[in-house]
């Protein structure tokens, strides 16, 4: 029996910054590519929209975690690329620690319950 997992919007929202920082720690990327990477990595269970992603990217840039630059493509269009900064690496380290605690607690509880 196939059960489609629907991830609640609050959990998607809470995971957005650590996901973006983790992806940018791999290398520079642009918005649409980030959306596609998350979709692929989650087996299409997390599907971001432009309207959700770009305000988060702008907030992260304002926080000093990421930087951006415009690149002109061969077709003449411009694409905005994002990269992680030192403060973003620090934020990612903190977010990893927080998610590890949560994951460990839930994993322990669920293991006890044989879920």
């Amino acid at each position: 029996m196939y059960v489609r997992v629907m991830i609640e919007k609050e959990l998607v929202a809470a995971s957005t910054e650590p996901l973006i920082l983790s992806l940018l720690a791999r290398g520079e990327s642009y918005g649409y590519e980030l959306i596609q990477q998350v979709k692929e990595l989650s087996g299409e269970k997390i599907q971001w929209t432009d309207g959700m992603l770009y305000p988060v990217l702008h907030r992260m840039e304002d926080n000093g975690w990421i930087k951006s630059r415009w690149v002109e493509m061969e077709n003449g269009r411009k694409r905005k690329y994002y990269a992680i900064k030192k403060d973003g690496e620090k934020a990612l380290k903190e977010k990893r620690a927080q998610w590890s605690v949560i994951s460990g607690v839930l994993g322990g509880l669920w293991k006890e319950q044989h879920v």
Side-chain angles (χ1 to χ4, degrees), residues 64-67 83-93:
W65 296 352
I66 63 174
K67 60 185 176 182
I84 194 166
K85 294 173 67 175
K86 286 287 183 198
D87 283 349
E89 292 171 359
K90 291 177 192 173
L92 176 56
K93 187 175 180 180

Side-chain angles (χ1 to χ4, degrees), residues 9-107:
K9 65 180 178 181
E10 293 83 5
L11 189 53
V12 171
S15 65
T16 301
E17 287 180 350
L19 284 169
I20 292 170
L21 291 170
S22 295
L23 289 168
L24 293 179
R26 293 175 160 182
E28 189 177 58
S29 190
Y30 56 96
Y32 180 76
E33 185 175 46
L34 292 169
I35 289 170
Q36 293 306 308
Q37 288 176 325
V38 167
K39 183 178 176 181
E40 181 181 326
L41 289 168
S42 70
E44 299 191 13
K45 292 181 179 77
I46 301 174
Q47 296 190 21
W48 291 346
T49 63
D50 292 351
M52 185 280 313
L53 178 63
Y54 288 103
V56 177
L57 289 169
H58 295 149
R59 182 176 68 243
M60 292 173 71
E61 197 167 9
D62 289 344
N63 288 344
W65 296 352
I66 63 174
K67 60 185 176 182
S68 64
R69 67 185 181 96
W70 287 100
V71 175
E72 189 168 336
M73 307 310 294
E74 290 179 14
N75 63 7
R77 295 184 64 168
K78 289 187 177 182
R79 181 180 286 163
K80 194 172 194 180
Y81 279 84
Y82 298 89
I84 194 166
K85 294 173 67 175
K86 286 287 183 198
D87 283 349
E89 292 171 359
K90 291 177 192 173
L92 176 56
K93 187 175 180 180
E94 292 171 7
K95 289 180 182 299
R96 265 193 202 131
Q98 293 170 12
W99 278 91
S100 291
V101 170
I102 302 249
S103 177
V105 171
L106 288 173

